[in-house]
Amino acid sequence: MKYFLLVFILLSANTLVSAQEKEEVTLGGRLEEFRKALIAGDAVSLEKLVSDKLSYGHSSGLVEDKATFIKNATSKQVVFTRIDVSNQQLSISGDVGIVRMAALLFVDENGKSNQLNLLTMMVWQKQKGKWMLLARQAVRKPEPK
């Protein structure tokens, strides 16, 4: 009986780890969809990726809701030409996923090229079976001394 219980516990733990890994892969896919939608300036895709309750914080201190974020991200005043992500860390707890990463953004702002080197935290929530961006905050990455 003890042997059966031990095997059951080990198999259950393995199933939980596999489910957690699957959710991390799924969330990672949503992050990539978000990155591509920003570069494409694709309002339809962004609409499907962000929560109606979105709080989107920029490194400048500006905070936008969903409608304002999508409008500004697709306005062509700021065009993301490339977004390089590094040091991405995902953590999932129930229906909440937290992503921390470094991001180097290449943007054309009103015809002028610029680079932003950011540290970003994103909070995703599983809503109706899909990971949706609920909150995002970025800060400028400190320059090395």
Side-chain angles (χ1 to χ4, degrees):
M1 184 66 168
K2 287 181 184 177
Y3 176 75
F4 175 75
L5 185 58
L6 179 62
V7 170
F8 177 76
I9 291 170
L10 290 174
L11 288 174
S12 297
N14 190 38
T15 301
L16 289 174
V17 169
S18 295
Q20 179 82 4
E21 289 172 354
K22 181 182 176 204
E23 286 302 322
E24 288 177 3
V25 169
T26 303
L27 179 53
R30 295 291 278 182
L31 286 162
E32 181 61 11
E33 287 177 52
F34 183 78
R35 187 187 72 80
K36 288 180 177 178
L38 277 178
I39 293 170
D42 182 350
V44 173
S45 292
L46 289 172
E47 179 75 34
K48 294 176 184 175
L49 289 162
V50 302
S51 170
D52 290 340
K53 303 219 182 256
L54 178 69
S55 176
Y56 195 90
H58 293 271
S59 61
S60 66
L62 176 69
V63 178
E64 300 169 324
D65 62 10
K66 179 179 183 173
T68 307
F69 161 70
I70 292 174
K71 181 180 136 225
N72 290 339
T74 60
S75 70
K76 304 297 183 202
Q77 289 179 348
V78 176
V79 176
F80 297 93
T81 58
R82 193 171 103 204
I83 301 172
D84 296 340
V85 174
S86 61
N87 299 327
Q88 184 170 286
Q89 302 166 359
L90 285 83
S91 173
I92 295 176
S93 178
D95 68 347
V96 175
I98 298 173
V99 180
R100 290 186 177 274
M101 70 183 105
L104 183 57
L105 290 77
F106 297 84
V107 298
D108 286 334
E109 201 167 349
N110 296 317
K112 189 176 179 183
S113 294
N114 193 14
Q115 287 182 25
L116 298 171
N117 199 357
L118 304 176
L119 299 174
T120 304
M121 181 177 78
M122 303 171 93
V123 178
W124 293 74
Q125 183 180 46
K126 201 141 196 205
Q127 299 175 0
K128 297 179 183 174
K130 292 192 183 236
W131 289 107
M132 303 294 286
L133 180 60
L134 182 63
R136 181 254 198 197
Q137 184 61 57
V139 296
R140 291 191 187 263
K141 188 174 182 181
E143 295 292 326
K145 293 182 180 182

